[in-house]
Amino acid sequence: MCGIVAYVGSGSALPVLLEGLKRLEYRGYDSAGVAVLAPEGVDRAAASPPQVFGDLQLCKAVGRVAVLEDAVAAAGGVEGALGIAHTRWATHGKVTEANAHPHVGESADGATIALVHNGTIENYAALRTLLENKGHAFTSETDTEVLAKLVAEMYGKVDTRSEDVGFSRLEHALRLALREVTGAYAVAAVCDAEPCTLVAARKGSPLIVGVADGAYVVASDGSAIVSHTSRAVTLDDGQVVRLQAGPAGSLQPGQDAPCAAGWVRPMHTTTLENEAVSHEVADLEFELEQIELGDYPHYMLKEIMEQPATLRTCLRGRVDVREGRIVLGGLNALSRELVRAKRFVFTGQGTAYHAGLIGEYLMEDLAKLPSRATYASEFRYRNPLIEAGTVIVAVSQSGETADTMAALQEAKERGALALGAVNVVGSTMARETDAGVYLRVGPEIGVASTKAFVGQVAVLTMLALFMGKRRVMSQADMETYLEHLDRIPEHVASLVRQSDYIKGKAAEVVDRDNWLFLGRGYNYPVALEGALKLKEISYIHAEGMPAAEMKHGPIALIDDGMPVVFIATRGSQYDKVMSNIEEVRARGGRVLAVATEGDTDIERYSDAVFRVPDVPEPLQPLLTVVPLQLLSYHAAVLRGHDVDKPRNLAKSVTVE
Ligand code: M6R
């Protein structure tokens, strides 16, 4: 989805902004733009493009950040130490240069405000009419331009003698404007009348302020900051921050900040009502190397390959084989409520929903607790019944998915205890849940979720064992599971080594445009996930379903050579799956089977077999998904697609 980068400091803004935008490319976008305030004395009026508004130099482009970079270079660059930049994923209005951010507004006294925005302004239509009536002329179809013009309108109205104005009229205008809007936002804004001031705010959409040496870098995602600093402040909902260049202590309230190289003033954070709030500077939870591609051709492959290591990190300190217990520190404070839990609801979207579905099976199987998984988008609007003792578990890599967040809030309002199985530390979901267990798999850059899925399933497995032990599970059973769980990372290491073999098998079927993925029990959610992986990056049509469901309609699709992927590991329903395999073969389908090591029978019925080590059924999803991730990856690459930037997709879906 959309991404924000902004800079104020002693250096040149443009390189930081462009590098930041490139780091945000993985989130998915369709256009990009940048606005930089020219330093005093630089005459940009002759430049064409970028557009020039007063001292604001603005450049936008449809397509990749590289196109924007070329456009800026062709215009002779944009100079200045203060700027904002954005990648847009279209919601309100088509993919056009006019709709790309930054958007500008002009105040009654001639100041130009430029603004970038993530999220959705729900009452933008009414605000637009109001602003048009006041003489503001719109050039785009976006809700963001409404916000830019609203800030400009407020800027013109601000009483500069008011104590509220403090050190920046822009800051106060932003506060006034945001009090009028409903919806979700992260925004950053600059004004040509305040050449050293950057203001930013958030509500429902993440925003982080990186505190670097002599500069602040604001971004919607830590990956755009981490090459400059590992120290950052995560803004809370409803907060506005003012960041200024210039030596501390040289200003009187009401003055605009004079710029001075090498200095930044202490950041100032308030609520929308202008109450000062404190903020905490903390370490970003990841390193630059984690978001660099290294020697891999794609992030997706890198993230599949690093799963043995990320799983180890996820399990470390939590799977205590010696003591025979699961240690989930994040849940300690809630142990009494959890023992009294009557029912679990797992919610998420896409891959995270599939992990939640495995959570449902695990919780019923291992802890004997009634459970269900539900798409967050369905749950939130169905007027859900939440009985006393309900625990909702929000499953999410980003911790920012709009529907999952809304489902969580809905369940909380109805009295559920809220837990999170979330990857991004400090994300909105991590903050809004009563407690949770972080995935600890590191930043996931590939749009197709891989290591996060395995991390989610690992966390839900530990949660089910944790609950199971408190309710019904014998110590002997617990110890057996723990021993197997502890060895899962080494099994995954053996699976990723099959990459070349899987690539060869993918090549044999990659020309086929329709595939089925079938499984029973724990393997059914894995079938759903296998199909989703294939379609989202290779654009091959694929459906996942319970293997038994095939006979109720989809069997009509099977024709000569149609690839049908069975997750057919040894377990309680193995024989039944074998019957399904025979039914597919009888109709000419081409069977690719994920099967247990040592199962030689299945070879007679399959065109390709991907072997996984033999582990108890509840732990199988941690393994069976890995060959499917590799199959999808290779199919997409063989079809010539940009695996890390699949068409139309965003990494994190922060709008409904
Ligand atoms: O960040 P989340 O885990 O909440 O995201 C949920 C889905 O949008 C996400 O899993 C999506 O389905 C992935 N692209 C799948 O690979």
Side-chain angles (χ1 to χ4, degrees):
M1 298 246 101
C2 303
I4 289 175
V5 195
Y7 175 90
V8 61
S10 51
S12 177
L14 186 68
V16 178
L17 298 176
L18 290 175
E19 191 228 274
L21 290 186
K22 285 181 193 160
R23 299 230 183 248
L24 296 179
E25 283 190 301
Y26 79 96
R27 296 171 63 94
Y29 69 103
D30 41 53
S31 52
V34 61
V36 174
L37 261 166
E40 267 176 59
V42 174
D43 178 15
R44 299 295 306 173
S48 153
Q51 293 167 272
V52 177
F53 298 88
D55 290 331
L56 261 169
Q57 312 153 92
L58 188 72
C59 198
K60 305 182 192 185
V62 168
R64 293 282 155 90
V65 174
V67 180
L68 174 70
E69 202 172 11
D70 289 347
V72 174
V78 292
E79 293 174 39
L82 170 64
I84 54 178
H86 191 261
T87 46
R88 173 175 186 255
W89 191 82
T91 55
H92 294 71
K94 294 192 193 72
V95 181
T96 61
E97 211 173 288
N99 285 337
H101 304 201
H103 286 284
V104 296
E106 196 172 325
S107 74
D109 55 348
T112 305
I113 279 105
L115 179 144
V116 290
H117 161 232
N118 288 355
T120 314
I121 305 300
E122 285 162 7
N123 57 340
Y124 83 102
L127 289 171
R128 181 170 172 142
T129 308
L130 199 125
L131 289 162
E132 278 170 341
N133 291 340
K134 287 182 184 292
H136 292 272
F138 284 80
T139 55
S140 81
E141 306 155 274
T142 64
D143 54 342
T144 302
E145 191 181 7
V146 172
L147 189 53
K149 300 236 176 331
L150 185 60
V151 177
E153 175 66 22
M154 295 300 183
Y155 196 91
K157 280 194 173 155
V158 162
D159 177 356
T160 48
R161 290 160 307 175
S162 154
E163 275 187 18
D164 277 339
V165 173
F167 290 106
S168 165
R169 211 168 136 194
L170 175 62
E171 177 192 7
H172 195 52
L174 181 65
R175 273 194 297 259
L176 294 176
L178 292 178
R179 286 181 203 166
E180 301 301 316
V181 306
T182 54
Y185 53 78
V187 290
V190 293
C191 170
D192 65 352
E194 297 183 29
C196 297
T197 303
L198 170 64
V199 295
R202 78 161 269 184
K203 185 183 149 214
S205 204
L207 206 60
I208 305 170
V209 181
V211 184
D213 201 13
Y216 293 112
V217 187
V218 175
S220 48
D221 182 322
S223 59
I225 290 176
V226 71
S227 65
H228 306 286
T229 178
S230 59
R231 307 280 294 153
V233 174
T234 303
L235 289 188
D236 274 330
D237 272 355
Q239 290 186 346
V240 178
V241 65
R242 174 190 4 114
L243 306 159
Q244 289 176 308
S250 67
L251 285 186
Q252 294 302 313
Q255 282 184 325
D256 290 337
C259 294
W263 291 88
V264 285
R265 312 176 131 268
M267 83 171 69
H268 180 67
T269 318
T270 63
T271 62
L272 288 187
E273 280 65 48
N274 200 13
E275 290 145 2
V277 283
S278 59
H279 49 253
E280 190 194 339
V281 184
D283 280 335
L284 282 174
E285 294 268 333
F286 59 92
E287 313 274 324
L288 186 58
E289 302 83 71
Q290 288 180 289
I291 57 165
E292 306 242 278
L293 199 48
D295 292 335
Y296 288 99
H298 298 103
Y299 280 104
M300 182 180 176
L301 185 62
K302 175 179 185 249
E303 287 160 4
I304 292 173
M305 290 300 179
E306 67 191 22
Q307 288 179 115
T310 53
L311 252 178
R312 248 174 239 122
T313 313
C314 173
L315 301 178
R316 187 172 304 131
R318 294 166 166 177
V319 174
D320 185 347
V321 180
R322 233 183 30 205
E323 299 287 325
R325 59 184 185 146
I326 291 284
V327 183
L328 297 175
L331 303 187
N332 278 348
L334 294 181
S335 40
R336 204 173 301 157
E337 287 88 336
L338 285 172
V339 169
R340 288 201 292 257
K342 296 262 178 306
R343 190 166 155 262
F344 269 72
V345 177
F346 297 90
T347 195
Q349 293 292 135
T351 288
Y353 165 72
H354 299 153
L357 197 51
I358 294 170
E360 171 191 313
Y361 280 62
L362 286 162
M363 197 57 79
E364 293 208 346
D365 189 13
L366 301 179
K368 308 294 176 224
L369 264 169
S371 300
R372 78 174 151 121
T374 165
Y375 283 111
S377 54
E378 292 299 313
F379 180 82
R380 63 182 292 194
Y381 290 120
R382 66 190 285 179
N383 200 5
L385 291 178
I386 300 285
E387 300 142 1
T390 299
V391 180
I392 184 151
V393 183
V395 186
S396 177
Q397 189 286 127
S398 62
E400 304 293 347
T401 300
D403 281 315
T404 311
M405 193 56 227
L408 187 68
Q409 270 156 355
E410 185 69 37
K412 274 176 76 175
E413 274 162 28
R414 290 170 186 246
L417 183 71
L419 303 185
V422 170
N423 194 33
V424 177
V425 175
S427 55
T428 309
M429 268 177 240
R431 289 159 171 250
E432 294 292 317
T433 41
D434 296 307
V437 184
Y438 279 121
L439 308 186
R440 288 200 208 143
V441 298
E444 188 177 67
I445 306 292
V447 168
S449 190
T450 52
K451 64 176 182 175
F453 175 79
V454 170
Q456 286 156 356
V457 176
V459 162
L460 298 182
T461 305
M462 290 188 282
L463 180 62
L465 288 170
F466 180 89
M467 293 302 298
K469 186 66 194 46
R470 276 157 185 73
R471 293 172 50 82
V472 288
M473 190 178 287
S474 70
Q475 185 60 23
D477 283 351
M478 181 71 165
E479 284 170 14
T480 306
Y481 283 123
L482 291 179
E483 274 159 27
H484 281 286
L485 196 50
D486 194 44
R487 293 191 58 199
I488 291 288
E490 72 189 74
H491 293 325
V492 174
S494 76
L495 294 174
V496 298
R497 285 196 289 271
Q498 295 179 25
S499 180
D500 285 344
Y501 167 75
I502 294 172
K503 179 179 177 182
K505 294 296 170 191
E508 291 171 14
V509 282
V510 73
D511 58 324
R512 304 296 301 218
D513 288 331
N514 290 292
W515 297 34
L516 283 182
F517 286 73
L518 303 175
R520 287 168 178 257
Y522 284 104
N523 291 332
Y524 154 52
V526 176
L528 293 179
E529 177 58 9
L532 174 61
K533 278 295 83 84
L534 187 70
K535 60 188 146 192
E536 71 178 319
I537 52 168
S538 70
Y539 320 144
I540 292 171
H541 174 245
E543 278 191 62
M545 66 191 72
E549 189 62 16
M550 176 186 69
K551 284 209 283 286
H552 298 274
I555 198 166
L557 293 169
I558 296 170
D559 61 5
D560 205 27
M562 179 183 190
V564 182
V565 181
F566 278 93
I567 301 93
T569 42
R570 286 260 185 228
S572 50
Q573 301 191 60
Y574 176 78
D575 292 340
K576 303 215 179 297
V577 177
M578 289 303 280
S579 306
N580 297 136
I581 290 180
E582 294 203 47
E583 287 153 9
V584 166
R585 282 183 65 80
R587 286 155 184 85
R590 199 178 172 103
V591 173
L592 295 90
V594 177
T596 309
E597 276 171 7
D599 175 3
T600 46
D601 294 348
I602 203 160
E603 272 160 22
R604 280 187 287 136
Y605 305 98
S606 313
D607 299 280
V609 181
F610 310 123
R611 304 231 166 254
V612 298
D614 194 5
V615 297
E617 273 185 79
L619 306 187
Q620 287 178 2
L622 292 165
L623 303 181
T624 47
V625 75
V626 178
L628 304 187
Q629 295 170 342
L630 285 164
L631 189 63
S632 303
Y633 170 77
H634 288 301
V637 173
L638 287 164
R639 282 191 162 219
H641 298 310
D642 186 346
V643 173
D644 287 332
K645 298 188 188 80
R647 71 181 175 209
N648 306 334
L649 279 181
K651 177 66 184 159
S652 176
V653 184
T654 51
V655 291
E656 263 193 77

